[in-house]
Amino acid sequence: MDGKLFLVSTPIGNLEDITLRALNILKSVDLIAAEDTRHTRQLLSHFDIHAKLESCHAFNEHSKVDNLIEFVKAGHSLALVSDAGTPSVADPGFLLVRSALAAGIEPVVIPGVSALTFSVTASALPVDKFAFWGFAPVKPGKRGKFFARILADGRTGFFFESPFRIGRTLNELAALSPDSKVAVIREATKIHEEILRGSAAELAALKRDWKGEIVVGVHPAEANSNEDNE
């Protein structure tokens, strides 16, 4: 019997966002590899799923991959989940997928919610073309280059940011391009969901305490001008 590898998307906040297909897979597999077993156990408990769990996160993924591939090759079914959202999208998953393909195993993707796709839709920015830049760097020099690349790219860019640095981020964007359009998507699908939209200068002027998980969308001012001319 051939084993199966499933990449399962899980809710980013509201548990009702999980798909029926995802629930059926999580109920049926022999093992779930989870970014954080404690987090995933809460999800499984909510839906009365009793599955075997094993950790697979950014700090042990390299050492876990070979054993997980052998598990699938032995005829077992394995589901990979991240804490929230879709595996491999700024979360563990790429190494396992690459190794699976090298071993002749075609992963089965179980689609679902993602903080990125939620933000692309909610931003109200032009997204006929867009880029995802991952997490904003922490070090000052790298941050400046990071924001400059997004603004020079011409497409709407999205990135993840910490609530402890978002105020600084908005100030940096405003200093580089005050008229660029910005959307801040905070706590998507959760109780305190909030979406703020405006120019970089307008959002930088906000004085507040930031909390929760944040995605930032930026549409460069130069792109705005080009669209107006067209």
Side-chain angles (χ1 to χ4, degrees):
M1 180 180 175
D2 294 333
K4 292 284 187 180
L5 169 62
F6 299 95
L7 308 177
V8 182
S9 296
T10 56
I12 59 175
N14 191 322
L15 296 183
E16 293 183 5
D17 289 335
I18 198 165
T19 68
L20 294 175
R21 187 180 178 200
L23 287 175
N24 288 333
I25 293 298
L26 295 177
K27 290 176 182 177
S28 65
V29 293
D30 299 309
L31 176 66
I32 297 174
E35 184 178 7
D36 186 331
T37 55
R38 295 166 299 181
H39 184 99
T40 300
R41 190 169 283 112
Q42 292 177 356
L43 172 69
L44 299 181
S45 177
H46 181 82
F47 291 104
D48 196 27
I49 298 174
H50 307 280
K52 184 178 179 182
L53 287 171
E54 183 171 326
S55 68
C56 182
H57 48 70
F59 301 104
N60 71 3
E61 191 177 7
H62 284 85
S63 62
K64 291 276 188 174
V65 163
D66 289 345
N67 287 338
L68 293 176
I69 293 300
E70 289 302 317
F71 182 80
V72 176
K73 288 173 65 177
H76 303 296
S77 56
L78 169 70
L80 176 70
V81 300
S82 56
D83 285 352
T86 300
S88 296
V89 181
D91 276 327
F94 167 70
L95 292 178
L96 184 60
V97 170
R98 183 176 64 181
S99 296
L101 293 174
I105 300 167
E106 183 66 38
V108 180
V109 178
I110 310 300
V113 69
S114 162
L116 173 60
T117 53
F118 180 102
S119 300
V120 168
T121 302
S123 69
L125 297 173
V127 290
D128 53 321
K129 295 180 290 185
F130 68 89
F132 174 55
W133 296 83
F135 286 92
V138 177
K139 296 183 178 179
K142 291 184 176 180
R143 286 173 67 82
K145 293 177 181 178
F146 178 81
F147 297 136
R149 285 199 302 270
I150 292 175
L151 292 168
D153 182 72
R155 297 171 292 179
T156 297
F158 292 87
F159 60 91
F160 295 155
E161 185 55 289
S162 162
F164 304 108
R165 290 188 293 273
I166 182 61
R168 175 181 159 199
T169 292
L170 294 173
N171 287 331
E172 289 174 287
L173 288 171
L176 289 168
S177 181
D179 294 328
S180 287
K181 295 179 181 178
V182 176
V184 176
I185 298 90
R186 190 180 70 84
E187 291 290 88
T189 80
K190 301 182 178 72
I191 294 174
H192 300 293
E193 175 182 304
E194 181 180 36
I195 302 165
L196 302 172
R197 307 178 184 91
S199 69
E202 288 169 341
L203 294 189
L206 296 175
K207 304 301 179 184
R208 57 177 295 170
D209 292 326
W210 295 94
K211 296 179 180 179
E213 297 182 351
I214 293 172
V215 183
V216 180
V218 181
H219 189 62
E222 184 176 343
N224 296 337
S225 299
N226 291 340
E227 289 163 6
D228 290 341
N229 292 333
E230 290 174 1

